[in-house]
């Protein structure tokens, strides 16, 4: 069985385009699952990929054009 790649909050933030503090908030809120190792959080790469697929895009929803 292949060992899962784990990311720190800085790397996860870079992949998500957010700060490491925001990643920590998502972890403590339970939105992203992670394991605490000492004072650091380790996040499975698959969990970051899941979050990307499930999160909604920010901003206004697209405007529906009527014909």
């Amino acid at each position: 069985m292949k060992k899962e790649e784990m990311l720190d909050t800085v790397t996860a933030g870079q992949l998500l385009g957010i700060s490491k503090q925001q990643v920590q908030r998502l972890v403590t809120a339970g939105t992203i699952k992670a394991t605490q190792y000492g004072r650091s959080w380790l996040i499975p790469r698959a969990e970051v990929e899941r979050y990307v697929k499930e999160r909604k895009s920010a901003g206004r929803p697209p405007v529906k054009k009527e014909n």
Side-chain angles (χ1 to χ4, degrees):
M1 186 157 76
K2 187 175 164 183
K3 197 168 194 170
E4 189 170 20
E5 183 179 0
M6 303 296 275
L7 308 172
D8 61 7
T9 55
V10 173
T11 307
Q14 289 171 345
L15 290 173
L16 295 171
I18 58 177
S19 68
K20 75 174 191 170
Q21 291 84 4
Q22 185 61 28
V23 173
Q24 290 170 343
R25 286 186 204 108
L26 291 170
V27 168
T28 56
T31 307
I32 294 178
K33 295 176 185 166
T35 303
Q36 193 165 15
Y37 185 75
R39 295 179 64 189
S40 301
W41 289 101
L42 296 177
I43 305 161
R45 179 176 284 278
E47 187 65 17
V48 172
E49 292 168 356
R50 180 201 58 81
Y51 178 74
V52 168
K53 288 179 185 175
E54 292 180 1
R55 79 175 177 179
K56 297 177 183 175
S57 59
R60 293 183 180 182
V63 176
K64 293 181 181 177
K65 295 182 181 180
E66 295 183 28
N67 293 329

